Amino acid sequence: MEETSDRLNPTTDTSGVTPEFDPKTMRSTKPGLKRLFITTSVLFSFLLGVPFLWKSVEIYRSPLPFHDIDSLSDQIESTPLRFPCNLHAVFVGFESKDPDNLRSQIQDGINQLTHQSSQCGSCNVSISVTVQNLAEQCLETLAHNPSTCSYRCGVIIRNEFGVGLDDTVDESLNDVFSGCSENSGKTYSVVVVNKENANGEDEVIKAVVGKRRHAWVVGSGLEERYGDIVARVSEIFVKVFMNGGRDEESIHGEFMPVGSDGKIVLSFSLLNSNPRDWVYDWDFQRIDDALLAPVTKALAPIANISVESQVLYHTPKSSFSSWDEKLQSYIFRTSDLPFFVNSNEWHLDTSAGASGRSKILQFVVYIPSGKECPLLLQLPNGEISKTNGFISPMWGGVIVWNPESCDKDSESPIRNTISPQDLEQIVEIFLGQFRQLFGFKSEAIYTSGLGTYKILPSERGFTEWELDVLSRKHTCFNLHSCSTTLGSLSRLVRSLPRMIIKDEIGEQVKYSLKAAKLAQSNASLGGYSSSASSSREARSLAENAFFHPSIMSVSYFSYEHCFAVYSPFFLPVVGHIVLAAFREWKRYRQEKAKYLTWLTRKKTA
Amino acid sequence: MASLIRSWIPLLILQSFLVAIAFGSKEAEEFSEALLLKPLPDRKVLAHFHFENRAPPSNSHGRHHHLFPKAISQLVQKFRVKEMELSFTQGRWNHEHWGGFDPLSSMNAKPVGVELWAVFDVPQSQVDTSWKNLTHALSGLFCASINFLESSTSYAAPTWGFGTNSDKLRYGSLPREAVCTENLTPWLKLLPCRDKDGISALMNRPSVYRGFYHSQRLHLSTVESGQEGLGSGIVLEQTLTVVLQPETTSVETNMQPSWSLSSLFGRKVVGSCVLAKSSNVYLQLEGRLGHESKNVDTEIEAHKLWKNADFDLSLKPDRVLRESSSLLFIFDIDKSSDSEPFDLGLTWKLPSKWSCQQAPLQATRFLMGSGNERGAIAILLKATESQEKLPGRVVTDGRCTIKANIFQIFPWYVKVYYHTLQIFVDQQQKTDCEVLKKINVSPSTDKVSSGMLEMMLELPCEVKSAAISIEYDKGFLHIDEYPPDANQGFDIPSALISFPSHHASLDFQEELSKSPLLSSFKEKSLVRSYTEVLLVPLTTPDFSMPYNVITITCTIFALYFGSLLNVLRRRIGEEERFLKSQAGKKTFGLKQLLSRLTAKIRGRPIEPPSSDSPAAQSSFLSSKLIFKIILVAGAAAAWQYFSTDN
């Protein structure tokens, strides 16, 4: 490895040409490039290899549409979903009213009632008004879209309307408005009938909301106080048809007890807290067939409901109750309710059938033992609860059922069956609790500032307009939950750069976004069921992506692992190469400078 | 939080009750409990809890239940289980002393750990999927790692060797599974009274788990209703068998220890489970009949049976039944109460000795060979004393023979060579066709399926011992496939030896009450026994080895690479000249060192002293030092950054 060109040769060079040649600062030959070339080429080949190495240790991350996710959640936050709804107000027996004027007044009333809460699942209202005068002639103002119901003039006869049972009136109104087209949102109708003041006395205004999508206000002398009537019409629409008659401060509308796969399991348990005192059994199969089947059928568009029942024994409650002398019974208070459910002894959750992401709602009928019979629930105001039950949102409800007599007559316990009448009562309470879990009230009367409305209950548990509210809320809830799930997934993915993301996840996210878009567009077109189903799909896909098992593999491809494997080789080698290249370059510059000084010296000489 | 409600719905169609569809047959779900106590010849006591829950044929299975556990019913519905048995066992059944030829031992002597078999009612192609789903569901239900039976390397599909002939049968066992109270509690949850009341209240966890053997078993079978459009009924049988050692104060070693329920379990029975149709306690005494009269007609004689010279019972039995060799005392615990708890006691007065009926052949299994490469498995069948007396000999072609089925699963990493199968009868090697009637082999596939061996032997009646040996190689596992604590070794599941021509049954000629326990004894059950679990040590690697190898090879490569690079850029002539000049200036060495030191203290570059080149070199040296420090600091900072980032 001897290199002659690099060699400084003081003996030969100093002898002849110039006497000033200094071997320390000058050299006579050009500095060689071989070593510099070798070291730099090695260095560059290493540098070229870095991208390949980087590529080889790279993990697979399916590209997620972060931007779309963000825009979806922004959109859901900023512009709440609104469904188109049509309101058809029919004023019968009004002589001198201009329908356009009435329509704008109703519109004002609705705006006034809704302006502060433009929450998700509310309505985009289009109003049409028909006024039928005493001569049974009609003046109509139709909404912007022409597909609303047409009311055949003169079908409602002023003085014959509203006579008889409310149910039959409701049915007759259904016939009147049966020609409605449903393709652009649901149509709600309010009929105002101004009756002849027959008796001369001031008749009370009667306002009823039916089982379907109709309401009617009947009274006399309405023409004089028509401002009040218009306010009532808009109130019926906003408070009842649009918001389902629920209070804003009750259970928040965002909570829907529906599993992400769109299933609800209603698990009924009869708890005999001490079977040594008495044993009660029930014939739940009949209850299921006769009373619960219509409810589950009615709710089918919103959730797929299945019903289970079991009887459990030796299941004491975990809170204490105290004897009340005045009431001759044991009392437990609302403050004790958080401790009532005994999760140690009540093994309710044994449903293998509801695997997956179904929502299980527990409904518990608790039969107190002889030591605590009768057991009554005291309300905070000191009264005794009429239902003797309570609910826990998203979990279910508890009903305390006391046996008829609390005396143990015989030593050996008798096995009783709860009578059908008692069971009916229990199911009534259950239906009330079930409605409450969905956020509805269970009162037959809705009271507001302007007066009271009678609400006709449906034997299916939920009226049609309530189901409309539910499906609007359900779509909203699903979209909201989908966007939050996708949002947290995107945050998680962005915070962990070494996480493997499989194609499946990427696809699920993509389809979920697609379904969410579809749900939004369907909702704005008024397709209730199609938007509900695609929103459900969006939510379940988002949850599938978030709970994908492969997300767990993050820990196996950490940076530490990479360092541990590659640093023992690359750190020392790179050190060598970089240092060598640096030195060679430095030396080359130094030697070149020497050569240049010698050249200049030679030139000057 | 909870809020209160008011009911509103004005009810509701009463006539719909009239339309309510027929509620199946009016048969109701039934539950019964029983406890069998049995003193064992080796001074121990066997307690066998038996619970039976029957759901009649109905269409609402899995949906509406009164006594029957909803979880089990949903399992049956969802996975279409026709028959299933799951057992959790700790300890080994002592066939010699505790019996091997009675229904109790043939049904409740189970292999260590978890054993699960199930027959499905699905098309052949879906059986494996159903099995996998079932294992997961059971694993959740019983807080055990039954889900390990999901992988196809851990279960097998026996054809005839298991006793139940079905092509939809799957069998798997986990010998390593530790069984404890967390498995018992979910098992008790399936009982309507749990351990709150009735006989199950005796199950005091410390005393149950202190025993020599305990096996908790769950057997369910569906009963076809035979009616069109009606679902099938389910029978759920839950048993817990424990063998306990009563604490004895007697000094006499040949005297059987006296015991009572409270001394055995630390608890008493304070009443029956009110939901049980029948709840009885049975006491079975074996080998008691030789000297007593056959009929118990009179009161005095009946009295003699439970208070005699040999032993005393603390309570009067309600009834006494007898079988060919044993006495059965029946106690009804309905009468007991809080003030008068049921506490059965047995006091021995005279030393007593008896022996249990044993299976025709007693099986043991062991490993042969040494080293981590290969070995052999041997199964040894030894004739027992009671072999001659047993029924069930088959005389074919004038020869008296005993039939024995051997069913064995081999994990794939035990690579068995089936051609090395050797059979010795009374120490003489026999060719296959002499004793081997039937054999079914399904070889294992590496990492895919386990191997299975089913054999039917026909041994002569006068056989003293028979041995079967088979050789194997030990396989290598991938590093991911080693379980935690791999150095302990790998378990080969128990082999099952069954005797197809021998059936055990106990018939007490009981017609009065249909006790589920006694009727299950009455059924003829196949005599079977499980062998020991074998522990095979496999070569286990050092699991940190990959990193060590990486580090060492990388260091060697780096050294080689660095020195090669240094050699490539060496200038030998220059170095020689430099050394020569250095040798000339040796006197300046100290001075130079000093000047460098002072420069370093001052923090200034070295002023050029007399000679230039060493100064230049030293400044280069110091910059090199600084560069090195920066490099190390940079690496440390980068490391810190990435390690905190993750």
Side-chain angles (χ1 to χ4, degrees):
Chain A
M1 292 297 286
E2 213 165 320
E3 203 173 320
T4 45
S5 65
D6 264 5
R7 181 188 284 176
L8 295 169
N9 206 338
T11 46
T12 51
D13 284 343
T14 44
S15 59
V17 203
T18 44
E20 310 99 295
F21 180 82
D22 181 9
K24 299 277 187 306
T25 56
M26 290 174 227
R27 59 181 289 162
S28 57
T29 48
K30 236 183 157 181
L33 278 167
K34 264 185 241 162
R35 289 178 171 78
L36 183 63
F37 178 72
I38 288 171
T39 49
T40 45
S41 64
V42 171
L43 179 67
F44 275 107
S45 61
F46 258 79
L47 289 180
L48 279 179
V50 166
F52 288 101
L53 178 76
W54 195 248
K55 192 83 193 158
S56 75
V57 300
E58 195 183 44
I59 44 152
Y60 184 73
R61 279 163 77 88
S62 167
L64 291 189
F66 294 118
H67 178 73
D68 291 354
I69 293 171
D70 290 342
S71 70
L72 175 75
S73 54
D74 285 346
Q75 201 183 345
I76 284 171
E77 286 295 314
S78 59
T79 52
L81 196 63
R82 289 165 85 95
F83 290 78
C85 307
N86 307 313
L87 171 63
H88 192 188
V90 179
F91 290 84
V92 177
F94 285 77
E95 198 52 67
S96 57
K97 288 293 164 268
D98 174 30
D100 289 318
N101 189 18
L102 275 173
R103 182 167 162 240
S104 63
Q105 276 176 345
I106 291 172
Q107 185 74 56
D108 288 346
I110 287 171
N111 289 347
Q112 213 172 9
L113 286 167
T114 55
H115 76 278
Q116 69 271 56
S117 62
S118 78
Q119 58 182 8
C120 189
S122 55
C123 277
N124 251 343
V125 198
S126 56
I127 307 167
S128 51
V129 176
T130 308
V131 177
Q132 182 181 341
N133 62 13
L134 293 177
E136 301 199 340
Q137 284 158 344
C138 288
L139 285 169
E140 276 189 85
T141 304
L142 289 180
H144 302 302
N145 64 33
S147 61
T148 42
C149 313
S150 57
Y151 164 69
R152 266 190 308 117
C153 202
V155 174
I156 296 174
I157 299 153
R158 184 185 168 208
N159 284 337
E160 287 168 18
F161 184 79
V163 186
L165 284 173
D166 288 335
D167 283 324
T168 49
V169 175
D170 194 30
E171 287 303 316
S172 71
L173 274 182
N174 195 46
D175 295 337
V176 170
F177 294 104
S178 59
C180 290
S181 63
E182 297 267 305
N183 50 15
S184 66
K186 307 284 180 190
T187 302
Y188 302 93
S189 54
V190 181
V191 177
V192 182
V193 180
N194 185 16
K195 286 213 169 186
E196 241 174 325
N197 200 341
N199 326 4
E201 56 200 59
D202 202 21
E203 209 184 317
V204 189
I205 299 173
K206 183 180 171 196
V208 183
V209 181
K211 289 183 224 175
R212 298 170 194 271
R213 300 189 180 90
H214 316 294
W216 60 95
V217 180
V218 181
S220 59
L222 298 181
E223 187 130 23
E224 289 79 50
R225 15 175 198 162
Y226 90 99
D228 187 27
I229 294 304
V230 164
R232 285 197 125 189
V233 168
S234 44
E235 194 179 55
I236 285 176
F237 184 71
V238 173
K239 290 274 171 70
V240 179
F241 285 145
M242 213 164 99
N243 288 340
R246 45 182 159 186
D247 295 329
E248 295 308 316
E249 67 267 19
S250 71
I251 301 170
H252 202 250
E254 305 292 278
F255 286 112
M256 285 280 283
V258 180
S260 66
D261 57 350
K263 278 186 192 157
I264 305 177
V265 178
L266 299 180
S267 168
F268 289 85
S269 308
L270 179 67
L271 303 189
N272 286 286
S273 71
N274 190 354
R276 288 194 161 226
D277 298 332
W278 39 66
V279 179
Y280 278 91
D281 201 348
W282 57 9
D283 190 356
F284 204 85
Q285 174 83 44
R286 276 194 197 180
I287 289 290
D288 185 13
D289 293 336
L291 302 178
L292 295 178
V295 179
T296 57
K297 208 175 153 197
L299 280 172
I302 288 147
N304 184 2
I305 301 178
S306 56
V307 180
E308 293 173 356
S309 80
Q310 61 183 341
V311 186
L312 299 175
Y313 308 89
H314 292 286
T315 50
K317 68 179 168 40
S318 53
S319 65
F320 294 104
S321 49
S322 56
W323 172 252
D324 190 301
E325 201 57 51
K326 212 165 50 192
L327 293 163
Q328 287 294 304
S329 57
Y330 288 88
I331 296 293
F332 68 104
R333 295 183 177 78
T334 44
S335 55
D336 298 330
L337 292 186
F339 311 103
F340 193 90
V341 174
N342 185 350
S343 43
N344 273 346
E345 308 275 359
W346 298 11
H347 43 277
L348 308 168
D349 49 356
T350 50
S351 187
S355 60
R357 306 207 182 96
S358 314
K359 179 76 203 161
I360 302 180
L361 289 180
Q362 305 283 356
F363 287 97
V364 170
V365 178
Y366 178 83
I367 298 174
S369 64
K371 277 187 294 183
E372 46 173 21
C373 180
L375 184 65
L376 299 176
L377 170 61
Q378 195 173 37
L379 300 177
N381 59 11
E383 280 178 37
I384 293 301
S385 162
K386 283 182 188 154
T387 59
N388 225 7
F390 60 92
I391 66 160
S392 171
M394 302 301 276
W395 182 81
V398 175
I399 301 165
V400 177
W401 185 81
N402 291 305
E404 253 165 58
S405 97
C406 285
D407 311 317
K408 274 199 286 175
D409 357 302
S410 59
E411 263 305 299
S412 63
I414 6 146
R415 297 176 78 158
N416 309 299
T417 308
I418 299 179
S419 68
Q421 288 78 23
D422 287 338
L423 259 185
E424 268 178 46
Q425 248 172 1
I426 288 170
V427 172
E428 265 179 61
I429 300 171
F430 146 71
L431 271 179
Q433 291 187 336
F434 190 48
R435 285 169 54 85
Q436 273 220 315
L437 290 174
F438 277 104
F440 288 115
K441 286 192 168 182
S442 301
E443 284 158 346
I445 285 171
Y446 178 73
T447 316
S448 75
L450 292 169
T452 56
Y453 304 97
K454 187 180 178 193
I455 293 175
L456 291 186
S458 162
E459 54 283 298
R460 303 190 302 165
F462 294 86
T463 57
E464 273 180 37
W465 53 269
E466 279 173 330
L467 289 174
D468 289 347
V469 174
L470 271 188
S471 74
R472 283 199 296 266
K473 293 271 168 199
H474 183 55
T475 307
C476 249
F477 168 69
N478 279 342
L479 282 180
H480 192 259
S481 138
C482 165
S483 88
T484 46
T485 311
L486 288 180
S488 24
L489 179 69
S490 84
R491 272 197 301 283
L492 177 80
V493 165
R494 277 189 271 193
S495 70
L496 293 172
R498 299 287 298 172
M499 188 165 77
I500 294 174
I501 297 160
K502 287 197 170 174
D503 267 339
E504 269 173 72
I505 298 177
E507 259 167 43
Q508 277 166 342
V509 169
K510 204 174 80 190
Y511 289 133
S512 166
L513 282 171
K514 214 181 196 175
K517 290 262 161 60
L518 190 67
Q520 279 177 318
S521 67
N522 278 339
S524 60
L525 290 174
Y528 277 51
S529 61
S530 59
S531 69
S533 73
S534 47
S535 73
R536 192 191 291 173
E537 195 190 10
R539 178 177 166 210
S540 87
L541 280 170
E543 303 234 338
N544 281 345
F546 190 78
F547 292 108
H548 199 274
S550 74
I551 284 188
M552 292 305 288
S553 64
V554 59
S555 55
Y556 292 102
F557 290 92
S558 58
Y559 269 119
E560 281 87 349
H561 181 84
C562 254
F563 270 112
V565 171
Y566 293 109
S567 60
F569 180 65
F570 283 100
L571 273 187
V573 166
V574 165
H576 273 294
I577 292 168
V578 169
L579 272 181
F582 181 70
R583 276 187 197 169
E584 281 305 318
W585 176 69
K586 193 148 183 160
R587 186 191 153 90
Y588 176 73
R589 272 181 52 190
Q590 215 177 331
E591 297 296 315
K592 201 173 178 187
K594 282 184 190 177
Y595 178 61
L596 286 177
T597 44
W598 185 76
L599 276 186
T600 48
R601 188 68 61 86
K602 211 165 79 173
K603 255 183 200 162
T604 50
Chain B
M1 237 312 293
S3 56
L4 309 162
I5 54 158
R6 285 191 48 205
S7 102
W8 65 295
I9 301 167
L11 257 220
L12 274 181
I13 349 137
L14 230 150
Q15 64 259 52
S16 58
F17 272 106
L18 305 173
V19 199
I21 52 160
F23 184 40
S25 57
K26 270 292 153 205
E27 223 179 320
E29 292 168 352
E30 267 175 24
F31 171 74
S32 63
E33 54 178 2
L35 167 65
L36 176 81
L37 294 159
K38 183 177 166 187
L40 295 172
D42 61 344
R43 305 162 58 76
K44 297 188 178 67
V45 177
L46 176 125
H48 175 72
F49 296 86
H50 183 273
F51 306 96
E52 197 179 272
N53 212 332
R54 280 174 179 273
S58 153
N59 285 327
S60 66
H61 277 323
R63 293 178 59 222
H64 302 296
H65 287 283
H66 304 270
L67 279 174
F68 199 82
K70 192 171 77 175
I72 293 293
S73 168
Q74 284 176 342
L75 213 70
V76 171
Q77 293 299 310
K78 194 165 181 183
F79 305 118
R80 317 285 316 148
V81 181
K82 208 168 168 195
E83 198 175 358
M84 184 192 95
E85 189 180 53
L86 171 69
S87 69
F88 295 86
T89 310
Q90 207 71 315
R92 206 173 118 64
W93 183 263
N94 187 339
H95 286 276
E96 200 177 340
H97 288 116
W98 303 345
F101 198 81
D102 51 339
L104 199 65
S105 66
S106 63
M107 282 192 288
N108 295 294
K110 286 286 169 187
V112 176
V114 168
E115 188 204 46
L116 171 71
W117 61 266
V119 184
F120 296 95
D121 188 19
V122 292
Q124 187 64 38
S125 55
Q126 294 167 22
V127 173
D128 284 322
T129 347
S130 292
W131 167 264
K132 284 171 187 181
N133 291 333
L134 178 72
T135 58
H136 277 273
L138 285 175
S139 146
L141 201 58
F142 288 100
C143 296
S145 34
I146 307 172
N147 54 322
F148 286 140
L149 289 176
E150 181 214 7
S151 91
S152 56
T153 53
S154 55
Y155 67 89
T159 49
W160 44 266
F162 186 69
T164 315
N165 294 351
S166 166
D167 51 352
K168 290 166 185 174
L169 169 73
R170 294 292 177 272
Y171 172 92
S173 79
L174 295 169
R176 187 69 68 85
E177 182 76 13
V179 180
C180 203
T181 59
E182 79 266 19
N183 307 118
L184 183 65
T185 310
W187 183 85
L188 282 171
K189 265 190 186 178
L190 305 176
L191 304 174
C193 282
R194 307 213 295 296
D195 57 345
K196 300 279 171 204
D197 212 351
I199 286 170
S200 48
L202 280 176
M203 288 180 202
N204 181 25
R205 305 299 195 284
S207 36
V208 166
Y209 288 99
R210 199 166 46 211
F212 286 81
Y213 173 86
H214 71 93
S215 171
Q216 97 192 35
R217 198 172 68 102
L218 179 140
H219 178 267
L220 66 87
S221 53
T222 53
V223 186
E224 290 303 321
S225 62
Q227 269 172 275
E228 194 70 32
L230 196 60
S232 50
I234 311 172
V235 180
L236 173 70
E237 194 189 2
Q238 284 174 271
T239 63
L240 175 75
T241 312
V242 279
V243 175
L244 301 169
Q245 174 81 67
E247 281 171 34
T248 172
T249 46
S250 136
V251 228
E252 289 175 76
T253 46
N254 55 352
M255 189 82 163
Q256 285 281 333
S258 304
W259 50 264
S260 68
L261 279 182
S262 55
S263 78
L264 280 179
F265 292 101
R267 288 186 188 175
K268 292 168 190 166
V269 180
V270 291
S272 62
C273 174
V274 289
L275 305 156
K277 195 172 149 238
S278 72
S279 53
N280 293 316
V281 173
Y282 303 88
L283 175 69
Q284 189 188 0
L285 291 180
E286 279 195 318
R288 304 257 98 228
L289 235 56
H291 52 283
E292 275 164 46
S293 62
K294 283 275 176 190
N295 41 6
V296 231
D297 291 337
T298 60
E299 188 71 22
I300 304 131
E301 255 182 301
H303 187 79
K304 249 190 199 166
L305 277 172
W306 63 281
K307 268 191 196 302
N308 54 27
D310 270 2
F311 60 89
D312 247 358
L313 293 182
S314 67
L315 293 168
K316 181 181 183 294
D318 292 318
R319 262 171 318 133
V320 184
L321 298 177
R322 56 181 69 226
E323 204 249 354
S324 59
S325 69
S326 59
L327 269 177
L328 191 74
F329 300 94
I330 302 177
F331 303 88
D332 203 350
I333 61 165
D334 279 336
K335 281 168 277 175
S336 67
S337 64
D338 288 331
S339 52
E340 208 182 325
F342 178 85
D343 186 14
L344 176 68
L346 173 67
T347 316
W348 292 96
K349 291 176 181 163
L350 287 174
S352 163
K353 211 169 156 58
W354 70 94
S355 65
C356 285
Q357 252 195 333
Q358 290 180 31
L361 298 167
Q362 198 189 338
T364 48
R365 192 178 62 162
F366 49 89
L367 285 179
M368 299 193 295
S370 63
N372 275 339
E373 209 182 338
R374 55 178 65 91
I377 296 174
I379 296 172
L380 182 64
L381 302 169
K382 262 197 233 161
T384 52
E385 291 162 21
S386 57
Q387 191 209 320
E388 286 87 30
K389 294 174 277 179
L390 288 176
R393 295 154 167 244
V394 184
V395 183
T396 43
D397 310 333
R399 282 196 316 146
C400 162
T401 54
I402 303 173
K403 273 188 191 161
N405 279 352
I406 298 174
F407 167 63
Q408 165 80 69
I409 293 180
F410 298 105
W412 66 264
Y413 43 80
V414 173
K415 294 173 178 168
V416 179
Y417 296 114
Y418 291 100
H419 70 276
T420 60
L421 181 74
Q422 284 177 308
I423 301 169
F424 299 87
V425 176
D426 293 328
Q427 272 103 45
Q428 280 164 349
Q429 188 170 355
K430 297 277 179 180
T431 50
D432 289 349
C433 54
E434 277 178 272
V435 284
L436 195 62
K437 280 291 138 203
K438 225 162 136 185
I439 184 164
N440 178 27
V441 163
S442 82
S444 61
T445 322
D446 275 7
K447 299 174 195 198
V448 173
S449 68
S450 54
M452 187 184 65
L453 172 69
E454 289 169 298
M455 281 196 291
M456 185 187 275
L457 300 181
E458 212 170 67
L459 301 166
C461 286
E462 61 281 357
V463 66
K464 287 277 166 280
S465 75
I468 297 129
S469 85
I470 192 161
E471 286 174 23
Y472 66 88
D473 269 3
K474 296 177 183 176
F476 286 104
L477 278 77
H478 189 259
I479 190 161
D480 293 343
E481 288 160 350
Y482 283 96
D485 191 17
N487 286 304
Q488 191 192 330
F490 290 77
D491 292 299
I492 300 181
S494 300
L496 170 66
I497 319 287
S498 52
F499 302 96
S501 49
H502 294 77
H503 288 90
S505 73
L506 277 177
D507 191 1
F508 289 99
Q509 275 102 43
E510 165 77 345
E511 281 100 25
L512 290 169
S513 77
K514 287 200 61 165
S515 159
L517 178 67
L518 295 188
S519 53
S520 80
F521 279 176
K522 205 169 169 178
E523 278 169 32
K524 288 198 169 191
S525 61
L526 191 66
V527 175
R528 49 174 76 174
S529 68
Y530 287 89
T531 63
E532 300 90 341
V533 168
L534 289 180
L535 194 62
V536 181
L538 290 191
T539 38
T540 39
D542 172 11
F543 293 105
S544 64
M545 201 172 65
Y547 287 98
N548 297 344
V549 170
I550 287 169
T551 315
I552 289 173
T553 39
C554 287
T555 314
I556 290 167
F557 268 108
L559 276 176
Y560 170 74
F561 203 87
S563 47
L564 197 71
L565 203 69
N566 280 338
V567 163
L568 269 176
R569 47 177 287 268
R570 245 178 121 173
R571 296 173 175 86
I572 290 171
E574 198 178 321
E575 275 168 32
E576 273 174 357
R577 270 198 314 287
F578 181 69
L579 280 176
K580 235 178 246 170
S581 70
Q582 282 287 46
K585 291 174 200 161
K586 212 154 207 180
T587 44
F588 296 104
L590 196 68
K591 199 181 169 188
Q592 190 192 328
L593 204 72
L594 267 175
S595 74
R596 208 187 280 176
L597 204 69
T598 48
K600 217 164 243 181
I601 290 163
R602 281 185 203 156
R604 278 187 215 163
I606 300 164
E607 296 140 39
S610 53
S611 64
D612 279 5
S613 80
Q617 206 173 6
S618 73
S619 85
F620 175 70
L621 262 179
S622 75
S623 74
K624 198 170 82 181
L625 196 75
I626 290 164
F627 177 73
K628 269 184 187 167
I629 289 168
I630 287 170
L631 191 77
V632 170
W639 175 256
Q640 186 68 24
Y641 172 74
F642 283 121
S643 58
T644 50
D645 194 39
N646 286 345

